[in-house]
Each structure stands twice: as C-alpha cells, then as structure tokens.
Amino acid sequence: MADLLDGKALATRLQLELSEQVKTLAMRAGRPPGLAVLMVGDNPASAAYVRGKETACSRVGIASYGKHFPTDTSQAELKQVIQSLNQDDRVDGILVQLPLPDHLDAVALLNQIAPDKDADGLHPTNLGRLVRGEPGLRSCTPAGVMRLLADYQLDPKGQHAVVIGRSILVGKPLALMLLEANATVTIAHSRTADLAAVARTADILVTAIGQPKLVTPDMVKPGAIVVDVGINRITQTTGKSQLVGDVDFEAVYPVASWITPVPGGIGPMTVTMLLHNTVWSYCQRLNLAP
C-alpha cells in the first residue's frame, strides 16, 4: 500500500515558516510583501481559488491588492491596470487568474507583467531562465510538486519520470524542473501512442491532463511514485459533486509506493509556492536577505 504525499500538511508548515519570515522582513523593509491577483468575470471556480489565495496572503502577512473586473472588461483596460501595478512599489507579485473570458488574449496580458513581478512564473523571461537553469520565478504548480518530493526525500536523480500533460502551466515547466533534478524525462499526452505502456515505465508518474480517473492500475509500475496534479469536478449518482484527480486513487493506491491525494495533495502546494514567489520577488526587489 502506498504512503501519502501530504501536500496539505506540508503547505501548512511552509506557510507558518513564511509568516515568521515575513514578520521579520516587514520590520526591516517598512512594509509587507504585496500581491495583486486580477480576476475577470464570475467563474465560480476562479472566485473560490482567488478567495483561497487572498486568505493565504492574509495568513502569512502578505498585503493583497486584488482587483475583480466585470466580464466585459476590455483588453486595453486590463493592460493599463497591469502596467500601473508594474509601477506600484507596494506590489511585488502580479497574477492574472485563468481562465479569462473568450474575448481576452491571456498570453498577451501575461506578457505585460514585469518579469520580476510575475508571481505565477509564466512570463517568457522566467520560462527562459528555467530552461537555462538560472535563478528566477518558477511556475507555482510544478514548483509545488518538486518541493513536495524534496520534503519527502524522494530524489528524482537517475529516475525515469513520465509527465502526462504538456501545458505551459504544468507539463512543460515540470519536465524542465525534473531534468534539472537529473531525472530522465518523458513527456506524454493525449496523442501519445499506447499511453499505458509509456506510463508503466515511470519510476515517477505525474499526471496533469484534466481527465478524471484516467490513470488506472495497469498504467502504474509497481512501487512507482504517483503525483496527481489533476483537479476534476464530477457529479456522483447521488447528485452531489466531488473533486477527483486524473488518477483512480482507490485502485492505484495499492500499487504505488507514494501517492498524492486529491484534494489535499498538490493544490495547497500551488498556493504556497505563489506566496513563496511573492516573498522571493520582494526580497530581490528590496535587496533583503531572506
């Protein structure tokens, strides 16, 4: 039976440590770190995520400069807001909550964020720094995966890691981080021929493809480490909704050596790495030793 990779417990501990760090730094700097989360429209899932991020900011002492815009907000208006936040000395991190309404160009808006305030680590400059192995802001979810593995002393060095999913949010940056940690990395996706056979070769199997219970026991090498980044809301026969991952947890649990639950695995780590990025940017901008 697998052991649990408890992201929720680790996130709680890391946020407590960040809270103590922020108290000390704010006294030296004369202000706390600041994060601006921009949300457009009334997507209920996005609203819940934003509330969670703002609550976490409050918990660790980060000032929140969040802005909520109506669905019909124009590209030009949002561009102007981002440029204003780039110039605001109180703000160390800026995040645009995705997805955006269809009429908006998310990539163009993300590219407007000053790279050193890019709290989500998605600006081309920060992705380039990742490719080159240079210090910089890292994409939050992949960074959360790597921090969780490190805390449990699960070293990717020499291991074969298979990442199912190739998004710029998770799959691609995570593959680069695993390479940086000396894993041998395969990226698989929805068009991969015989996905089950590829998945079975993994010592570390990470799935971030957004398909409920896609990964079944026949796709998992016995003793593999299974990291489930997927979050999918399904409706049960009773009519109640339930959050599940991309992995069939109950079925895979007896096969793996380590596994993340959903919820309570990578989700809390994503928020924690967002806070970490904001504090890191704050320290860099104000030349503070963390």
Side-chain angles (χ1 to χ4, degrees):
M1 302 294 278
D3 288 308
L4 280 186
L5 291 165
D6 191 342
K8 186 176 180 181
L10 176 56
T12 300
R13 176 162 63 78
L14 292 177
Q15 288 183 28
L16 197 60
E17 291 172 6
L18 268 178
S19 174
E20 293 302 314
Q21 185 184 357
V22 166
K23 274 183 199 171
T24 304
L25 292 170
M27 283 192 290
R28 287 163 52 196
R31 70 164 179 87
L35 175 66
V37 178
L38 308 183
M39 178 180 157
V40 184
D42 52 8
N43 181 310
S46 292
Y49 289 139
V50 170
R51 280 195 303 273
K53 288 165 184 172
E54 289 173 345
T55 301
C57 280
S58 175
R59 194 159 48 236
V60 303
I62 293 173
S64 185
Y65 298 102
K67 296 175 183 288
H68 186 182
F69 301 91
T71 304
D72 61 357
T73 303
S74 71
Q75 185 89 6
E77 286 175 274
L78 288 169
K79 180 179 175 181
Q80 189 173 14
V81 169
I82 291 170
Q83 288 174 342
S84 174
L85 291 168
N86 284 340
Q87 302 302 317
D88 191 334
D89 286 337
R90 302 168 303 164
V91 175
D92 304 288
I94 303 167
L95 179 146
V96 176
Q97 182 65 44
L98 302 175
L100 291 171
D102 291 342
H103 70 281
L104 296 171
D105 183 343
V107 172
L109 289 172
L110 292 173
N111 289 351
Q112 287 296 319
I113 298 171
D116 293 335
K117 290 192 177 186
D118 170 32
D120 226 3
L122 296 177
H123 191 281
T125 297
N126 287 318
L127 291 169
R129 287 169 178 159
L130 172 59
V131 170
R132 293 176 61 88
E134 297 172 356
L137 292 161
R138 300 293 194 239
S139 186
C140 298
T141 299
V145 171
M146 298 305 292
R147 184 66 178 82
L148 188 60
L149 291 175
D151 196 75
Y152 280 85
Q153 298 181 328
L154 300 172
D155 188 353
K157 181 180 179 181
Q159 302 293 301
H160 182 208
V162 174
V163 179
I164 305 177
R166 53 181 167 176
S167 75
I168 202 67
L169 281 170
V170 181
K172 288 175 182 174
L174 179 56
L176 289 166
M177 290 178 197
L178 286 162
L179 273 175
E180 195 172 35
N182 297 310
T184 299
V185 182
T186 298
I187 302 178
H189 44 81
S190 58
R191 304 288 200 284
T192 297
D194 201 350
L195 180 60
V198 174
R200 273 195 304 274
T201 66
D203 303 305
I204 301 172
L205 179 63
V206 185
T207 177
I209 204 165
Q211 292 187 29
K213 301 187 179 184
L214 169 77
V215 175
T216 49
D218 63 299
M219 298 173 69
V220 178
K221 178 181 180 180
I225 299 163
V226 178
V227 179
D228 190 351
V229 179
I231 299 179
N232 311 282
R233 189 174 293 277
I234 62 170
T235 303
Q236 297 174 299
T237 51
T238 59
K240 288 185 178 180
S241 67
Q242 178 190 9
L243 284 179
V244 299
D246 293 347
V247 175
D248 186 343
F249 181 89
E250 298 298 334
V252 169
Y253 184 72
V255 180
S257 61
W258 294 89
I259 191 169
T260 56
V262 176
I266 300 304
M269 291 301 300
T270 297
V271 174
T272 301
M273 298 317 292
L274 171 66
L275 305 178
H276 172 273
N277 278 353
T278 303
V279 174
W280 188 87
S281 173
Y282 167 76
C283 290
Q284 296 295 306
R285 296 180 65 245
L286 299 183
N287 199 23
L288 296 168

